[in-house]
Amino acid sequence: RPRILIEKPDSTKPSPRVVTDRMLWAKRLSAASFLLLLIGVISYYNAMPAMFDELDPAQRHLLELEAGESGEVTLYSLGEYVALRVRDGDSQAAELRLIGISGTEESGSPPTSLDVERPGEDGTMYAPVRVFRSAQAGDYTLYNDGNTTLWFVDDVSAQNALFGNSWFVLMFFGCCLGIP
């Protein structure tokens, strides 16, 4: 007598319709990702002048001190202040003093891996030598005890100015959302 095999549906295998739907969504999401990346790259090209204007220490700084000079600066509690010098060799000594109005010295901290060198508009590379993240708000005197020019910049103000530029915001979201 012939045997009749009845195939039980395998619950672990998706149906052909589910596979087709997944492929369709994968294609849609890939196209959206490509479009966002394209928008990000085009926006990057348009945002570059504003980025150089805001991030170039030679153009936007609180103080620019030649060797042996000092200058007055006001720090705010929510600021992040960075002292930079033109890159010269492998390591840079800070060779600066930040003295408060009461006579106390703010020591700051050495730059971390997040504190990267910055290119200037003319190709000059500026290396961070000291970072002041948790300085008390108030008036200070910055002394340049080194032999080279020292730039003192406010990173928070520069970042706020960049996020006020619509091309930068479009570039930021295009690149950040396009990659995932």
Side-chain angles (χ1 to χ4, degrees), residues 17-34 180:
R17 173 146 172 83
V18 171
V19 171
T20 305
D21 286 347
R22 287 183 185 167
M23 292 294 289
L24 181 62
W25 275 106
K27 289 178 184 178
R28 287 178 182 167
L29 290 174
S30 294
S33 177
F34 177 76

Side-chain angles (χ1 to χ4, degrees), residues 1-161:
R1 152 172 162 195
R3 287 179 146 182
I4 300 175
L5 291 174
I6 300 176
E7 207 173 295
K8 292 183 181 178
D10 187 3
S11 63
T12 60
K13 289 184 180 178
S15 70
R17 173 146 172 83
V18 171
V19 171
T20 305
D21 286 347
R22 287 183 185 167
M23 292 294 289
L24 181 62
W25 275 106
K27 289 178 184 178
R28 287 178 182 167
L29 290 174
S30 294
S33 177
F34 177 76
L35 184 63
L36 284 169
L37 283 173
L38 183 63
I39 289 170
V41 169
I42 291 169
S43 300
Y44 176 76
Y45 175 76
N46 290 310
M48 280 302 295
M51 290 169 59
F52 272 123
D53 285 347
E54 294 300 330
L55 298 177
D56 185 357
Q59 294 183 36
R60 297 276 193 257
H61 53 267
L62 297 174
L63 289 174
E64 179 179 351
L65 302 173
E66 297 298 326
E69 289 184 342
S70 65
E72 303 293 320
V73 65
T74 301
L75 303 185
Y76 299 97
S77 60
L78 295 177
E80 180 174 312
Y81 303 93
V82 181
L84 302 134
R85 294 188 187 278
V86 172
R87 181 178 63 181
D88 184 30
D90 291 338
S91 64
Q92 292 277 21
E95 299 176 329
L96 60 87
R97 291 175 289 137
L98 186 63
I99 309 293
I101 200 160
S102 64
T104 59
E105 183 173 350
E106 184 67 43
S107 61
S109 62
T112 65
S113 59
L114 297 176
D115 302 309
V116 296
E117 288 185 348
R118 302 164 192 210
E121 196 167 14
D122 61 354
T124 304
M125 293 300 289
Y126 299 89
V129 294
R130 184 66 67 193
V131 180
F132 300 90
R133 288 191 173 91
S134 57
Q136 294 291 324
D139 294 326
Y140 290 85
T141 302
L142 180 64
Y143 296 90
N144 182 2
D145 297 330
N147 296 325
T148 60
T149 305
L150 178 74
W151 287 270
F152 196 68
V153 299
D154 180 2
D155 276 353
V156 172
S157 293
Q159 292 167 5
N160 285 339

